[in-house]
Every structure is written in structure tokens, then in C-alpha cells.
Amino acid sequence: MIFKIVFLGTSGTVPSLDRNTSSIFVQVGKERMLFDCGEGTQRQIMIAKLGFRNINNIFITHLHTDHFAGIFGLIETMSLNDRKNDLNIYSPNSEIIKTIFDLFGYDGLSYRINVKEVKDGVEIKFENFKVLAFKTEHLVPSVGYAIIENERRGKFNREMAEKVFGIPPGPLYSKIARGESIIWNGKVITPEMILGEPKKGRKVVYTGDTRPTKRTVEVSKDADILIHDASFTEDLRDWAVESGHSTAKEAAIVAKEANVKKLILTHISARYSKDSSFLIEEAKKIFENVEVAKDFMDIEVPLN
Amino acid sequence: MIFKIVFLGTSGTVPSLDRNTSSIFVQVGKERMLFDCGEGTQRQIMIAKLGFRNINNIFITHLHTDHFAGIFGLIETMSLNDRKNDLNIYSPNSEIIKTIFDLFGYDGLSYRINVKEVKDGVEIKFENFKVLAFKTEHLVPSVGYAIIENERRGKFNREMAEKVFGIPPGPLYSKIARGESIIWNGKVITPEMILGEPKKGRKVVYTGDTRPTKRTVEVSKDADILIHDASFTEDLRDWAVESGHSTAKEAAIVAKEANVKKLILTHISARYSKDSSFLIEEAKKIFENVEVAKDFMDIEVPLN
């Protein structure tokens, strides 16, 4: 199953020539989602050639404009494209969004918007995965999101099916492989009898803007990818504390404690926009497998 | 005196790869202003290398997000840049803007924002020019803006000063040229006695989104440049009527009736984003000196 991440905006609060404000496109199977939607995101979607169709869920980490001011234009573009599907917008403090939508008079859209408030522990379930909201620590109510793939079924054991149970190759094999039970020779054969060990689903965690927290470590335990705020280097730690952000070192400590496979730093302050080597060097001292996000960088999350 | 226009965004409601949403930078003398501020304007300012300093006045034509959603990010960037000057934001329906600012909690900014409501006939006066708001005809309350330079003093008539009045060349000449009266040989010499005919100030009119109107013709009378909505060609006139926009032909008729020197078409629908020749051809049948705006196109308004 496809599990793809495209960074649409990786700047700090202020965009730069190289980096737009925060937004990440994630596709899991057929679900196409946005995590944050800063100013200019719709144009980033155009540049990345992702298209607006079937983006049905937008997850906002917090209501600072560099993380959500892009939804207004996107909503209108979707309506001018005659969208019909509902659009779900998840956010802490959803009343603010609802009030703005009322002010903007969004009743005339071609589709319905459902604004849903999330808080720590809320799970939004999809066919093959779920999105878990978890509390983060920023200047305003904020959450991060963990995208957690369901366990994947184990490998089809052909020898077991053919030799042990004597099931002939054909449509029954497909049924079992899809996870359905069959009846063979008057006996119920469950998938567990034929398929190998189920495989752990993949997990990607996006913090949004935050100080490092225990909750992030907990949620990110053994994640495939942790995308963490790393607005500053350690010499600006006071500023990071004051503004509710993290340093590259702090993000690396979270990654190490959570035992993630890969750390991606984002929300890059304009001072490192062109040269992010300071962030990488600082993080690498703690956690080796680290990268700084760039606009339009895309990643296929590898199967375990 | 400098009188410069830089187009920052020339798209219709939906931006494209080539065109961002509406915004025009205008500098008259030392005053640097924005007319409309669509999503992504702050990044367009960066690309155009205009800088954020001393942009003290933003004139919004109407509260559709493709014309004003860029103010939020711009306001925050200006505060992070530790701006101190007041920022004036002019708009019809200013209560909406004030309500959003309250929701966003803009009390912590480094400078003060004054939101001022404008309607037809309101004049905002600057040292060397004024901005006149005039009613337009769109789906929501809307105005256009005319930037009207003051009369410029006539040419210094050296012969008159030297031969007729016997004033010796030197600092007195400068005083008169600056428009001040002097006393010479016990007689008051006013600038009018020495300077030639005052010259008509330059005039640039920007309509924002609108149907063609008589009021636009009236305000644009003899303007140097008329920047007019031309979202569509005539084959989509029904749509233009329904959505409160103009066709290229309609814009050209306004330009002709107003006897302007030059017409610039903007708010270009995505369908003509790359190839705007249809708009030009249609307009040229009515009005010869016409151009389609492009992002980052800049124009120095010539002296009369």
C-alpha cells in the first residue's frame, strides 16, 4: 500500500524564497490528506502536481496563520472546481475556524465542510490506518498527529494451503489472502491458519510546532518517521523556549528516546533557510538518521 | 517624483503556476502601498525584492480571500521584523477584518494596526497625492481606488526671474522652485509669477473586481493608467455578469469612454493564465493601448 509524504511547506513562521509556510501532504492507500495548510499551500499543491481531488481531510496542528491561513483559498478553489465530497477539517480550538467560516459566508460552497475539534487521544479511523491526535506544547492549544497503519496481514503460505490443507490454487487463495475465512472440505479455514505472522503497520508522526515533550516520545515509540519542529539551533534555545519551539538537538533527543527509524526536521527558521547544515550537525551528534525537510521533498515510507 | 507600480498577483480567484492572487504594489514618492493583498503576497514581495519596510498603507478592494487573505501572514512577518510604524488597512466592511484580528489575537504585535472603513468618495490624503475610494459593482461591498497625484509646479522660468524681476541666480531660485514666495526689492514675488503653468498630476486607477460601471468611467477620466478587472472574454460574458466581473471588451469600453492613456487588464482567469492573447485581441478592437498584467511586471508612470 502506498504511504507517501510530500513536504509542501517547511519554513518557520516567516516563509522565504525557498520555503513556504507549513504543510505536509500524506497519502495512505487512496486517502490523500494535508497536515497543516499555511498561506500559499494551494499553489504548492499545483507546483507539486498533486491535484486537489480527493483531499478529504485536513489536519491542523494549531491556529497560527502560518499553519492554517491557506485553507481559505483552498476551500474556494475546491468549490470553483465543483467539488462534491465533504471536506473534514480537524483542529484544536475549532470554534475559531467556524467563526471565520461564518464571517466569510461559506454557505454557498459546492460541498460541505465539517469542522471537527480534536484533542489528546482522539483517533480518526480510516480503512487501513488511523490518525491519532496528541497534545503538544506550544503558545496556543496545539496537537500533533500520528498516522498509524493497521497491522498488515502476513505472507500467504502456499505450502501450508496446498500441502497441509489440500486447497487447490485459485479464487479461494485470493479470499484467504484478503483476510477472509473459507470453508474447505466442510472445515472452516481462517486466514490465520494460512497466513504468516501479521506485520506491524507503519507509523509516521508529525508534531507541528512544539517544545519537546514526553507525550511525543510516547506516541512516536518505534515510529518509521518522526517529523519534528526544529526551528532553531541550541544557541537560540532561550528563544525556542519562549516561542514554544524546539532546537535540532531537542528534536534529536526525542527521536532517540522514542527509538524512531528516521527523524525529519521541519519548521526551519529563515536564518537557516538556505544552509541548514548547522541543524543537521547538531542533531547528528544525538541521532544519526536525520534529514532537514525541503519544500517538495517526497518520501515513500518503506514497508517494515 | 517616483510613481511606480509592481504587479504582485494577477490571477483570478484561483491562482496558477504563473499568477498569484491579487496584489499590486504602488510607490508614490516615499509612500509604499499595497492595493489588495491576496494569499501569498508576502512571498511575492520577497521575490520582487521590495522589502516590507515602510509599507504603511494597505488598500483592500473587497473581502474575498483572494484579495485579502495575505494580510494575516504579512502582519505577523512585519511584527517579527520588529516593525514600529502604524499600519493602516483600508477596506469596505471593516468590521469583518476587525473581528478576525480579534480572533487571531493581534494585541501582541510590535506595532499598531488601524483598520479604516472606506466607501465611495472617501479620500485619503498624502503629501504629494491622494487615494480616492470609489464604489464598484461586485458580489460583496467593494470599492476601487484612484491614486491621484497633486498638481506639479510649473517649470522655472529663468528668463522671467532674471530679466523681468532682476532676481540673481542662487538660493532664492530654489525657494521659488519649491513653491515658496520670496521678498525681492521690497516686493512679494509669488511662485506663480515665475513658474510656468502647473502640470496635471498623474492618475492611476485600480478597480479590483467589478462589473463595468459609470462611476469607474467618471473616476478614470483622462487617467494615465487604468487597471481593470478583465476576468473573461466575451464568450463568457454571462459568467462575468453572474460573478460580478468584467470581460476584456467591457474593460476596453470603460477605458475608451474615460479617455485613459493606457489600460492594463488583470484578475486573469486561470484559463488564460499562460496565453492571454484572446483578452488582448478582444480589447484592442475597442482600445489600442492595452496590456495584460503579469506577476512582477513593473511600470514607471511617465510624467505628463
Side-chain angles (χ1 to χ4, degrees):
Chain A
M1 189 175 68
I2 190 170
F3 194 152
K4 191 172 94 165
I5 303 168
V6 183
F7 290 85
L8 295 174
T10 60
S11 77
T13 311
V14 177
S16 69
L17 290 177
D18 306 292
R19 298 178 185 275
N20 199 50
T21 53
S22 295
S23 184
I24 303 175
F25 170 91
V26 177
Q27 179 163 3
V28 186
K30 62 183 197 332
E31 288 293 342
R32 293 153 44 83
M33 303 165 279
L34 291 180
F35 290 82
D36 283 332
C37 186
E39 180 182 359
T41 295
Q42 62 169 327
R43 225 170 161 210
Q44 298 293 93
I45 292 173
M46 291 176 190
I47 296 170
K49 294 191 168 53
L50 291 167
F52 300 111
R53 269 175 212 276
N54 300 325
I55 294 179
N56 298 331
N57 296 281
I58 301 178
F59 298 87
I60 305 291
T61 58
H62 65 292
L63 293 181
H64 277 157
T65 58
D66 57 319
H67 291 257
F68 88 104
I71 50 173
F72 310 118
L74 182 62
I75 283 169
E76 286 174 26
T77 292
M78 285 174 161
S79 184
L80 287 165
N81 287 348
D82 210 25
R83 178 194 176 92
K84 294 296 174 211
N85 291 353
D86 280 22
L87 176 68
N88 302 312
I89 299 177
Y90 302 88
S91 163
N93 249 11
S94 62
E95 275 309 312
I96 292 183
I97 294 195
K98 285 181 187 163
T99 307
I100 297 173
F101 286 1
D102 285 348
L103 282 172
F104 285 2
Y106 275 175
D107 347 316
L109 298 175
S110 69
Y111 61 99
R112 196 169 59 179
I113 298 181
N114 308 310
V115 178
K116 302 184 180 190
E117 186 153 312
V118 292
K119 55 182 184 183
D120 188 80
V122 167
E123 290 184 351
I124 300 105
K125 293 205 165 101
F126 297 90
E127 196 183 334
N128 300 306
F129 66 100
K130 66 183 178 188
V131 174
L132 164 71
F134 63 97
K135 192 175 179 305
T136 52
E137 194 184 315
H138 193 46
L139 303 180
V140 293
S142 63
V143 296
Y145 294 100
I147 306 148
I148 305 169
E149 191 185 20
N150 298 348
E151 270 193 346
R152 278 173 294 116
R153 279 184 290 280
K155 220 181 147 191
F156 190 89
N157 187 334
R158 195 174 166 122
E159 211 176 298
M160 184 71 81
E162 204 165 351
K163 306 241 163 95
V164 178
F165 292 100
I167 309 165
L172 290 175
Y173 279 27
S174 315
K175 264 191 127 172
I176 295 167
R178 279 202 306 272
E180 296 173 31
S181 297
I182 62 158
I183 294 178
W184 180 248
N185 278 344
K187 258 179 62 182
V188 175
I189 312 282
T190 64
E192 291 72 33
M193 296 160 77
I194 307 288
L195 304 180
E197 278 291 294
K199 288 170 195 157
K200 201 174 140 273
R202 290 164 284 182
K203 179 159 78 175
V204 171
V205 177
Y206 168 52
T207 62
D209 294 2
T210 187
R211 294 287 304 142
T213 72
K214 283 190 178 149
R215 182 73 174 127
T216 302
V217 173
E218 181 184 294
V219 167
S220 305
K221 197 75 197 154
D222 301 327
D224 294 84
I225 295 176
L226 167 62
I227 303 164
H228 202 290
D229 175 343
S231 297
F232 304 110
T233 43
E234 277 290 303
D235 54 316
L236 294 174
R237 190 176 188 165
D238 289 353
W239 197 351
V241 172
E242 202 182 315
S243 60
H245 290 291
S246 300
T247 67
K249 180 179 176 185
E250 289 172 328
I253 292 170
V254 171
K256 190 179 179 187
E257 289 183 357
N259 189 41
V260 306
K261 294 208 180 94
K262 188 186 179 82
L263 169 64
I264 300 179
L265 308 176
T266 193
H267 206 267
I268 308 305
S269 163
R271 77 200 66 222
Y272 320 107
S273 192
K274 274 204 177 300
D275 180 6
S276 53
S277 59
F278 300 109
L279 295 165
I280 285 285
E281 280 163 27
E282 183 174 299
K284 265 200 198 288
K285 284 179 195 157
I286 313 279
F287 187 86
E288 178 58 29
N289 193 9
V290 57
E291 206 173 338
V292 170
K294 283 182 192 163
D295 284 20
F296 308 116
M297 178 169 107
D298 63 58
I299 294 178
E300 177 70 42
V301 186
L303 287 168
N304 294 313
Chain B
M1 189 176 65
I2 191 169
F3 194 151
K4 191 171 93 164
I5 302 168
V6 183
F7 289 86
L8 296 174
T10 60
S11 77
T13 311
V14 177
S16 69
L17 290 177
D18 307 292
R19 296 178 185 275
N20 199 51
T21 53
S22 295
S23 184
I24 304 175
F25 170 91
V26 177
Q27 178 163 3
V28 186
K30 62 181 196 331
E31 288 292 342
R32 295 154 43 84
M33 303 164 279
L34 292 181
F35 290 83
D36 283 333
C37 186
E39 180 182 358
T41 295
Q42 60 169 328
R43 226 171 160 210
Q44 298 293 92
I45 292 174
M46 290 175 190
I47 297 171
K49 294 191 168 56
L50 291 167
F52 300 111
R53 268 175 212 277
N54 300 325
I55 295 179
N56 297 331
N57 295 280
I58 302 178
F59 298 87
I60 305 291
T61 58
H62 65 293
L63 293 181
H64 277 158
T65 57
D66 58 318
H67 291 256
F68 87 105
I71 49 173
F72 310 119
L74 182 61
I75 283 169
E76 286 175 26
T77 293
M78 284 172 161
S79 184
L80 287 166
N81 287 347
D82 209 27
R83 178 192 175 93
K84 294 295 173 213
N85 290 353
D86 279 21
L87 176 69
N88 302 312
I89 299 177
Y90 302 89
S91 164
N93 250 11
S94 62
E95 275 311 313
I96 292 183
I97 294 195
K98 285 181 188 164
T99 307
I100 297 173
F101 286 0
D102 285 346
L103 282 172
F104 287 1
Y106 276 176
D107 346 317
L109 298 175
S110 70
Y111 60 99
R112 194 167 62 180
I113 299 181
N114 307 310
V115 178
K116 302 184 180 190
E117 185 152 313
V118 291
K119 55 182 186 183
D120 189 81
V122 167
E123 290 185 350
I124 300 107
K125 293 204 165 101
F126 297 88
E127 195 183 335
N128 299 307
F129 66 101
K130 65 183 176 188
V131 174
L132 164 71
F134 63 97
K135 193 176 178 303
T136 53
E137 193 184 316
H138 194 45
L139 303 180
V140 293
S142 63
V143 297
Y145 294 100
I147 306 148
I148 305 168
E149 190 185 23
N150 298 347
E151 271 193 346
R152 278 174 293 116
R153 280 183 290 279
K155 221 182 148 193
F156 190 90
N157 187 335
R158 196 174 168 123
E159 210 176 300
M160 184 70 81
E162 203 165 353
K163 307 242 163 95
V164 179
F165 291 101
I167 308 166
L172 290 175
Y173 279 27
S174 315
K175 264 190 127 171
I176 295 166
R178 280 201 306 271
E180 295 171 32
S181 297
I182 61 159
I183 293 178
W184 180 248
N185 278 344
K187 257 177 63 180
V188 174
I189 311 282
T190 65
E192 292 71 33
M193 295 159 79
I194 307 288
L195 304 180
E197 277 291 293
K199 288 171 196 159
K200 201 174 138 271
R202 290 163 285 182
K203 178 159 78 175
V204 171
V205 178
Y206 169 52
T207 62
D209 295 1
T210 186
R211 294 287 305 141
T213 72
K214 282 190 179 149
R215 181 72 173 126
T216 303
V217 172
E218 183 184 294
V219 167
S220 307
K221 197 75 195 154
D222 302 326
D224 294 83
I225 295 176
L226 167 62
I227 304 164
H228 202 289
D229 175 343
S231 298
F232 304 109
T233 43
E234 276 289 302
D235 53 317
L236 293 174
R237 189 175 188 166
D238 288 353
W239 197 352
V241 171
E242 202 183 313
S243 59
H245 291 291
S246 300
T247 67
K249 181 179 175 184
E250 288 171 330
I253 292 169
V254 171
K256 190 179 178 186
E257 289 182 356
N259 189 41
V260 306
K261 293 207 180 96
K262 185 184 182 83
L263 169 64
I264 300 179
L265 307 177
T266 193
H267 206 267
I268 308 306
S269 163
R271 76 202 66 222
Y272 321 107
S273 193
K274 274 204 175 299
D275 180 7
S276 53
S277 59
F278 300 109
L279 295 164
I280 286 285
E281 280 163 27
E282 183 175 299
K284 266 200 197 288
K285 284 178 196 157
I286 314 278
F287 187 86
E288 179 58 29
N289 192 11
V290 59
E291 206 172 337
V292 170
K294 283 182 193 164
D295 284 20
F296 307 114
M297 178 169 108
D298 63 58
I299 294 177
E300 176 70 43
V301 186
L303 288 168
N304 294 311

